[in-house]
Amino acid sequence: MGLRIEISVNGEKREIPAGLSIREMLVHLGLDPQRLAVELNRMIVGKAQWDATAVEADAKVEIVEFVGGGCR
């Protein structure tokens, strides 16, 4: 098994493989990146940077999912 790191996702400790980008981390966690916003260590990371931004050990990740809906 490869090297794993511990991170915090929405306040919950999680283990992921080392060396993942933000997009790879989302897929690893079983999330659909299409409707998400990500904050990494208190900085919002735009989708254009997800592939180039590595998630390192002890990172604090906040993930928000956009939900459709509206007023009637």
Side-chain angles (χ1 to χ4, degrees), residues 2-7 14-20 55-59:
L3 182 63
R4 299 182 67 80
I5 61 171
E6 186 174 278
I7 63 172
R14 303 288 295 266
E15 273 195 6
I16 63 169
L20 296 184
V55 180
E56 298 180 357
D58 299 319

Side-chain angles (χ1 to χ4, degrees), residues 15-72:
E15 273 195 6
I16 63 169
L20 296 184
S21 69
I22 289 177
R23 186 176 310 280
E24 292 166 332
M25 175 202 63
L26 294 172
V27 171
H28 176 79
L29 295 174
L31 301 172
D32 178 5
Q34 205 64 14
R35 300 169 52 115
L36 301 176
V38 176
E39 182 183 278
L40 178 63
N41 298 323
R42 302 183 62 135
M43 301 282 294
I44 295 173
V45 182
K47 286 186 179 188
Q49 284 76 45
W50 285 4
D51 291 318
T53 304
V55 180
E56 298 180 357
D58 299 319
K60 306 242 183 305
V61 181
E62 295 293 327
I63 302 170
V64 177
E65 182 175 11
F66 296 107
V67 178
C71 298
R72 292 202 234 186

